[in-house]
Amino acid sequence: MRLENWANAQNQAIATAKNMAGEATIYEAPPWFWSDQYDVNIQIVGHPGGGDEIVRGDVASGRFTTLSIRDGEVVGGIAVNSARDMAVLRRLVASRKAIRRSDLENPEFELKRSLAS
Ligand SMILES: Cc1cc2nc3c(=O)[nH]c(=O)nc-3n(C[C@H](O)[C@H](O)[C@H](O)COP(=O)(O)OP(=O)(O)OC[C@H]3O[C@@H](n4cnc5c(N)ncnc54)[C@H](O)[C@@H]3O)c2cc1C
């Protein structure tokens, strides 16, 4: 997949250089992208269009997170002015952990608890 963003340009280059230097490295980080558009920080991980969408937070407030769920896994997400959620989402997507959808739909459920085994 062709990914045109800073994180991919940097991390793919790091993996390439390691392989060139003899350290066998697989580049498998989920796609992650951020952009600041005026006062809005947008971060996207994985494949947000790849499953059923759950919205956490208040879209009207301009601070919210969406998660894309497929086959019991979080396969992508979008964080708008929610960098803390993205830190968790990136780990969640990379881990391919089985999640309980009802937890993620519960606004009282702290997202980082989904990382606990
Ligand atoms: C308008 C715009 C907005 C963007 N916004 C975002 C964003 O918000 N977030 C994000 O993550 N990504 C964003 N991107 C994408 C991101 O900038 C690129 O994916 C990233 O910079 C690619 O890095 P790179 O090192 O591969 O290439 P580049 O950053 O393009 O670097 C290539 C370098 O090689 C040099 N070069 C080219 N040919 C030669 C040559 N023959 N000899 C010597 N030097 C040469 C060029 O001058 C350049 O300095 C944006 C891109 C654009 C165009």
Side-chain angles (χ1 to χ4, degrees):
M1 179 187 289
R2 181 171 171 160
L3 297 167
E4 294 195 28
N5 61 58
W6 291 350
N8 188 61
Q10 175 179 285
N11 295 331
Q12 204 170 57
I14 289 170
T16 302
K18 280 184 177 171
N19 281 299
M20 290 167 74
E23 186 183 330
T25 304
I26 297 170
Y27 183 64
E28 59 183 357
W32 168 60
F33 158 86
W34 62 265
S35 194
D36 287 324
Q37 302 291 326
Y38 297 94
D39 56 350
V40 182
N41 174 261
I42 303 165
Q43 299 194 40
I44 301 176
V45 66
H47 304 280
D52 298 339
E53 188 176 74
I54 294 174
V55 179
R56 292 173 58 90
D58 177 15
V59 175
S61 74
R63 188 183 164 97
F64 62 95
T65 300
T66 73
L67 298 94
S68 196
I69 313 279
R70 190 176 61 216
D71 300 332
E73 284 178 23
V74 179
V75 294
I78 301 173
V80 176
N81 286 335
S82 304
R84 271 197 196 159
D85 278 0
M86 182 49 69
V88 177
L89 264 181
R90 289 178 64 191
R91 290 172 61 193
L92 204 52
V93 171
S95 74
R96 307 202 58 192
K97 266 174 67 72
I99 48 90
R100 270 217 308 264
R101 186 184 175 125
S102 56
D103 285 343
L104 302 180
E105 285 173 333
N106 175 3
E108 305 298 321
F109 180 80
E110 270 188 84
L111 202 52
K112 68 180 176 195
R113 285 179 52 205
S114 57
L115 289 169
S117 49

